[in-house]
Structures are given as C-alpha cells and as structure tokens.
Amino acid sequence: MTAVLDSKRSANELRRAIAVLRQHCLKQSSAFCAEQLVGLTKDDVSINGATLYSLSQGAGGNDSMEVDETVALATLKMLESEPVSDTFLLAQSFFEIGEYIRSAVAMSGEEKDGGALPASIPNDDAPSRELFLWSYALFLAGQKRKEEAIAEAGRQGNTITNCINPWLEELRKVLEEKKKRKALTG
C-alpha cells in the first residue's frame, strides 16, 4: 500500500500534533511541526496570505481521533475561540522556546538588517494577538540583549550604569503611532 500525502490532511495532522506536543510541554518538537506546517504548499482558503483554522470547527475533521488527541483539542478549544493563523502558530512556537527575534520575524514575515527593529512592523490590519506577540517578542529579545551586555561587562570587570533595552524606544514609537491611527485594538 502506498501513502498519498495530501497537503490539507498533512496540515491538519501537523496542527493536531502541535496541540498534543504543547500539552506535553515538548516545545522543540512543537516548533518543528509549526515550521513544517508553514512550509506546506497552501491550497486552503487564505486571508491576507495566512491559512486559517478554527478549533471550534475541528482541526482534523476526523471522528475517529484517539482520546488523548480529543482531550488536547478540547483544551485548546477552551483556550482559543477565534481563528489562529499558521504563521501565528510558528511565531508562538519560537516564542515558547525563547527565540524571540525569530518569533517576531515569523510574525511579520520579514527580517530587517540594520533597521531600528530586527523585524518589520506588522500591518495595521493584523489581529491584535499577532501585534502583541510581535511586540512582546521584540521586548523580551531586547531585555535578553541588555542582560547579556551587563553580564559581559561584569566578566570584563566593567560596570554598566546605563544599559537599556535596545528596541524599547522604537517599540514605544511604533505602538504610539498605531494608537494615533487607531490601529490598536484591545
């Protein structure tokens, strides 16, 4: 018997795997599955380039799911009531394993070399959860950089009195500008 890979079925299986792996705190495996999910050829309905699914519709559409998978999906259904993009799943997986810049880049879809921020700013029509994840990931990446600079200075015997988050001011400006344009919700 030969197995035929259907991208829609594979995507649903990967989504179920992400849910189960997260439930069992297997963050690296969850991130791997999310990368594979985003890398699949998309032939599903998409909105703004992101394939959407809703747990309330049933991620797998298969009534013969095992009990453990059903529990995992029911738990996620309780936590997430609105549709979540595959890109958000990828960014969330990177965030969970502490790869904050990679999370922000996955969320915005573009890395900026030499810019004020390491990842492009999400569009004004991006869902609020995606903007929050992008912002918080960059904030934590900046905090991590700040702590690394303090630790390095301490190892060299130097004292730093003015070490700050390198992206904090730019993040503030971006969010204030979005607020002025009424592009922030929540």
Side-chain angles (χ1 to χ4, degrees):
M1 179 191 320
T2 57
V4 177
L5 291 179
D6 172 22
S7 67
K8 191 170 190 163
R9 182 172 178 222
S10 297
N12 288 333
E13 290 295 323
L14 285 167
R15 289 182 188 110
R16 287 184 17 214
I18 291 166
V20 171
L21 292 167
R22 281 197 176 138
Q23 184 184 30
H24 291 81
C25 298
L26 298 170
K27 295 176 181 178
Q28 294 284 349
S29 298
S30 173
F32 175 79
C33 288
E35 285 181 284
Q36 299 308 307
L37 176 63
V38 170
L40 283 177
T41 303
K42 305 290 191 249
D43 58 334
D44 297 333
V45 175
S46 67
I47 298 173
N48 294 332
T51 302
L52 302 177
Y53 75 100
S54 173
L55 293 173
S56 61
Q57 297 170 351
N62 185 353
D63 294 334
S64 64
M65 291 181 359
E66 295 178 9
V67 174
D68 289 341
E69 292 172 341
T70 304
V71 171
L73 290 174
T75 302
L76 286 176
K77 181 179 178 184
M78 210 171 62
L79 297 173
E80 297 285 346
S81 60
E82 63 184 39
V84 178
S85 70
D86 294 345
T87 304
F88 182 83
L89 287 175
L90 175 63
Q92 186 179 29
S93 294
F94 288 144
F95 184 88
E96 288 173 349
I97 59 175
E99 294 192 26
Y100 304 122
I101 292 177
R102 206 167 167 199
S103 174
V105 169
M107 201 71 268
S108 67
E110 186 179 346
E111 184 173 4
K112 288 174 58 179
D113 292 327
L117 295 170
S120 296
I121 301 166
N123 296 331
D124 284 347
D125 63 345
S128 57
R129 84 167 47 154
E130 293 183 8
L131 178 63
F132 172 79
L133 183 62
W134 175 84
S135 302
Y136 195 48
L138 286 178
F139 170 77
L140 289 178
Q143 290 297 101
K144 193 174 181 180
R145 284 250 173 117
K146 178 177 97 171
E147 291 170 11
E148 289 169 353
I150 292 169
E152 182 64 30
R155 280 191 291 272
Q156 296 175 354
N158 300 331
T159 328
I160 296 182
T161 57
N162 62 348
C163 190
I164 60 169
N165 182 327
W167 299 308
L168 188 59
E169 185 60 27
E170 191 62 31
L171 274 171
R172 186 186 63 74
K173 287 177 186 175
V174 167
L175 293 174
E176 281 181 352
E177 181 61 35
K178 283 187 173 286
K179 183 178 179 181
K180 285 179 189 173
R181 290 193 317 268
K182 299 192 185 307
L184 291 179
T185 58

